[in-house]
Amino acid sequence: AVDLPFLVDDVQELGLGGAKGAAGTLGSIDTFRFEERALLSHCGELIVDGRFEEALATVKERERSFWLERDFVRKAHWEACRRMAELGRAARDVRATLPSVSVRPEAWVEAYVREDGAHRLDFLQRRLESLVTNLEEEPDEKALGVVRRAYEDAVHEMALGFTQTLRSAKFGVSGPLAQTQVWDGVVAPLPRPVAVIVVDALRYEMGVELASRLPGAAEIDLRPALCALPSITPVGMGALMPGASGSFAVVEEGGKLGARVDGAFLPDLPARRRHAAGRVPQIVDLTLDDLLGLSAAKLRKKLEGAPVVLVRSQEIDQAGESGFAFQARRVMDGVIDNLVRAIRRLAAAGVGRTVVTADHGHLFFPVAREESMRSESPGGAQVELHRRCWIGRGGSTPTGTFRVSAAKLGYDSDLEFVFPEGGGVLKAGGDLAFHHGGTSLQEMVIPVLTVRMPGAE
């Protein structure tokens, strides 16, 4: 009986290669290989019909199948089916439980970040798309299209609702930590030495996964913060600088856009590095790649005597903005692995406390935005144009967008900003799948992860 599946694997001999039949009539043991393929196809049909629980039950029942235990390619396709069903179910459930647009934006943030909150939708989407990039052939095309559309619809609805509450509250959000408070309110009070890892475009759900990958930490705390608008790198990185809690604005000087922090104009990385060095004597500034590439002895020597170690990571944003979505998915998963290594290397070098945060999050769809989701550029006296925001003065407010002045965002500036209302984009150069700059929860809610590793003084 144990050898029977080997005997009946020769479908040509038995004429079962094209065997068909109702999947529900097949037995619980896959004696013939065609049964496994028929059931996987059936799972795809269940997902297309929105019967996600039935699909998950079938996957669970068959995950120990004789054939799957011996064929890792087929096992990966069943795992893809599981992840599609999980994402489809999550998208349906999130849309059914979205807060009312009449409540304050704090309620939307809470619904997003709680343990079983809507951020898990983003995690499931990233996990599915990451697996798809590693399959030799794409899973069921119809099923994949259904769950991708379900995710996009859920994100669009979330963005519309959250944006409406932000506008109703005149962009005043009193609950979550403001990004400008991270350095002075979180980093500054910690005992020295302390490391601050700033990851460009690290989404909140990625911070949740990073926290789960540090079971050996003596102390770990994860909280959400709301990034400054627009959610682009010069603004977010400036908001994380020392002194931003006391004085912060988004301004234009000499034709350049940047943040003004405590009187200093910070349009780029060199300016931010000078600012940090002037506010924190003996600060050490290095990239994540530098940190991971140095030997243990050289790293300890480099960090010796430094009260603060500032580590910068741009891998996620650079990969996403490249336009090569396939490679970007792989890079993003690798960044979380590297952050775990970095925290442990810092602890081994004597820096046992680390704060991990981001300048902004991101939206990353598997395919380019449809034409109906693209709005015209406002024109006017444009300073910068991104897929998810326009910065300038004057011009129009295209259909599907809204305009807000810098003054309404609390900035001492005459700039104006135009953002898409939902999950759409402006007609601008750049990638059509990876976006940030706008007002969605995925872009604005960033992680602030504080970790103390054992064994380091």
Side-chain angles (χ1 to χ4, degrees), residues 8 54 63 95 102 125 138 167 188 235 268 407 415:
V8 298
E54 292 180 52
E63 62 186 353
R95 295 184 72 182
S102 63
Q125 183 252 4
E138 220 174 53
R167 296 175 68 185
V235 174
D268 50 29
L415 288 172

Side-chain angles (χ1 to χ4, degrees), residues 17-34:
K20 297 180 181 179
T25 66
L26 298 177
S28 60
I29 299 175
D30 297 337
T31 302
F32 300 100
R33 182 178 284 275
F34 82 86

Side-chain angles (χ1 to χ4, degrees), residues 276-298:
R279 301 307 192 277
V280 185
Q282 295 183 289
I283 188 173
V284 170
D285 183 310
L286 70 166
T287 66
L288 179 62
D289 193 62
D290 291 335
L291 172 60
L292 297 175
L294 289 171
S295 68
K298 287 184 178 180

Side-chain angles (χ1 to χ4, degrees), residues 252 257 378-385 389-395 403-406 413-418:
E252 177 199 6
L257 180 78
Q382 177 178 297
V383 176
E384 285 196 10
L385 175 62
C389 68
W390 171 93
I391 304 161
R393 301 171 185 88
R403 180 181 296 261
V404 59
S405 68
S413 170
D414 66 347
L415 288 172
E416 296 175 299
F417 309 101
V418 173

Side-chain angles (χ1 to χ4, degrees), residues 105-297:
E106 294 88 342
W108 282 79
V109 176
E110 170 58 28
Y112 184 70
V113 304
R114 64 175 181 245
E115 187 174 352
D116 62 341
H119 72 272
R120 283 198 51 79
L121 180 66
D122 302 319
F123 168 74
L124 292 172
Q125 183 252 4
R126 177 169 60 86
R127 205 170 66 118
L128 169 62
E129 297 298 341
S130 177
L131 178 61
V132 169
T133 63
N134 287 286
L135 293 177
E136 293 184 3
E137 57 185 54
E138 220 174 53
D140 187 290
E141 184 177 355
K142 287 185 179 180
L144 185 60
V146 163
V147 297
R148 281 175 167 173
R149 171 58 67 181
Y151 174 75
E152 292 187 31
D153 290 345
V155 168
H156 181 64
E157 192 171 333
M158 290 165 64
L160 284 173
F162 181 58
T163 297
Q164 185 172 335
T165 62
L166 277 177
R167 296 175 68 185
S168 297
K170 298 181 179 179
F171 295 89
V173 187
S174 58
L177 184 72
Q179 188 178 38
T180 52
Q181 298 171 328
V182 171
W183 190 286
D184 295 332
V186 178
V187 177
L190 291 175
R192 274 23 182 181
V194 62
V196 182
I197 304 179
V198 181
V199 187
D200 199 339
L202 185 73
R203 207 156 59 173
Y204 182 78
E205 54 89 8
M206 301 176 84
V208 174
E209 182 179 356
L210 175 60
S212 71
R213 301 271 292 276
L214 295 165
E219 296 175 14
I220 189 163
D221 175 69
L222 175 65
R223 71 183 88 174
L226 277 187
C227 78
L229 285 172
S231 52
I232 58 177
T233 298
V235 174
M237 290 296 183
L240 293 171
M241 288 288 99
S245 64
S247 174
F248 179 82
V250 179
V251 299
E252 177 199 6
E253 288 189 14
K256 289 185 177 182
L257 180 78
R260 185 185 292 132
V261 177
D262 200 16
F265 179 56
L266 310 177
D268 50 29
L269 175 59
R272 292 192 295 270
R273 294 185 71 178
R274 289 193 298 269
H275 176 84
R279 301 307 192 277
V280 185
Q282 295 183 289
I283 188 173
V284 170
D285 183 310
L286 70 166
T287 66
L288 179 62
D289 193 62
D290 291 335
L291 172 60
L292 297 175
L294 289 171
S295 68

